[in-house]
Amino acid sequence: MRYLVVSDLHSNWEALEAVLSDTHGEYDRIVCCGDLAGYGPDPNRVLDWSRESLFAVIRGNHDRACSGLENLEWFNPVAQAASAWTMSQLTPVNFDYLRELPPGPLTVDGFQLIHGSPLDEDEYLVSITDARNVFSYLEVNIAFFGHTHLQGGYAWLNGQFLSMGRIESFENSVSQRLDPDGAYLINPGSVGQPRDRDPRAAFALFDSDSREVMQRRIPYDYEATNRKIVAAGLPDVLGSRLATGR
């Protein structure tokens, strides 16, 4: 089965639309590692699509915040403002959909979806040290996670912990066939709010039969998203940082 793996959409329709256009015909199902909402200007459009199109999805911390399940005091002022605005915009059906999203880990076709880590959906895995502490808690040997907005990942292979290479600015994709004897924590990156200094929307394609994973980037019209953010009265930084991927 071929999967499109996405994460951290953050209400960015232009980025999501670019990913779907770029991958048309390359997958059978779409799965998501959470944070459908927050930050961006199109929460209902993204959530309408999510309800219709996602085969499997788990919640992220912004999904909890935008559906009243999280105390906004834990968020910085920009995230607080975006969450409060999103909550005011959601249709009842989308509000309920966000509120009912399950926490990870969620097992799908022999791999797992995680937002933060296997131990804590809000934990950030940003280094090999972080990852090596949680590998033993995986229920299967392949997991996709989000939350950091950093495309890449970690592997345990032949008794060693390794970082999986990131895509350089001059590249569009990197592919790897996963060793059946290894264990992997793979971050597809953020569709709607990349933070690895690459403004292109990030995602992954995974073939569960061949065990091949491709991490990929695609440019999108972030200026259009920025204009919507300004028009909505959201904090300007949410739009300006899209151009630099920060």
Side-chain angles (χ1 to χ4, degrees):
M1 189 69 68
R2 301 173 303 166
Y3 291 89
L4 170 60
V5 185
V6 294
S7 188
D8 299 278
L9 311 184
H10 285 298
S11 302
N12 187 334
W13 177 253
E14 283 73 28
L16 176 58
E17 190 174 40
V19 169
L20 297 174
S21 177
D22 185 60
T23 58
H24 181 72
E26 294 188 65
Y27 60 84
D28 305 299
R29 295 170 173 173
I30 311 174
V31 295
C32 180
C33 298
D35 272 355
L36 305 172
Y39 292 142
D42 281 310
N44 285 308
R45 194 167 190 181
V46 169
L47 288 170
D48 286 343
W49 170 86
S50 299
R51 290 189 292 106
E52 295 176 359
S53 304
L54 290 176
F55 175 75
V57 57
I58 56 173
R59 70 187 185 188
N61 55 315
H62 286 266
D63 299 324
R64 299 199 314 269
C66 293
S67 59
L69 294 175
E70 183 76 28
N71 189 334
L72 295 185
E73 292 182 0
W74 293 104
F75 285 69
N76 65 51
V78 170
Q80 286 183 23
S83 296
W85 179 86
T86 299
M87 216 179 312
S88 74
Q89 300 295 309
L90 290 177
T91 62
V93 66
N94 284 333
F95 181 85
D96 290 342
Y97 173 72
L98 271 189
R99 198 174 178 87
E100 293 167 5
L101 288 176
L106 177 67
T107 300
V108 180
D109 194 13
F111 62 92
Q112 284 189 311
L113 301 178
I114 296 167
H115 187 64
S117 88
L119 293 175
D120 183 346
E121 60 187 328
D122 293 338
E123 182 179 5
Y124 288 92
L125 300 181
V126 296
S127 69
I128 290 181
T129 300
D130 296 334
R132 70 188 302 163
N133 291 332
V134 302
F135 263 108
S136 61
Y137 295 95
L138 292 177
E139 297 177 8
V140 293
N141 66 349
I142 301 172
F144 292 92
F145 72 102
H147 197 38
T148 67
H149 298 210
L150 303 174
Q151 191 176 52
Y154 309 98
W156 182 85
L157 192 61
N158 298 322
Q160 293 183 307
F161 293 98
L162 307 169
S163 290
M164 299 176 69
R166 65 183 297 271
I167 297 173
E168 300 295 339
S169 60
F170 56 85
E171 298 176 314
N172 295 322
S173 66
V174 293
S175 297
Q176 181 176 357
R177 193 175 300 276
L178 305 182
D179 191 314
D181 295 324
Y184 299 87
L185 281 161
I186 303 167
N187 193 325
S190 173
V191 170
Q193 281 273 331
R195 291 186 188 157
D196 52 6
R197 300 181 185 273
D198 185 340
R200 297 175 296 173
F203 58 96
L205 291 161
F206 175 60
D207 189 317
S208 61
D209 296 322
S210 68
R211 298 174 63 89
E212 183 173 359
V213 61
M214 176 190 291
Q215 293 180 309
R216 205 147 90 192
R217 303 302 280 253
I218 184 70
Y220 75 96
D221 189 358
Y222 52 75
E223 292 181 355
T225 307
N226 186 21
R227 289 192 294 270
K228 289 182 181 180
I229 286 171
V230 172
L234 287 161
D236 289 348
V237 68
L238 292 174
S240 61
R241 70 186 184 189
L242 295 176
T244 57
R246 297 180 65 179

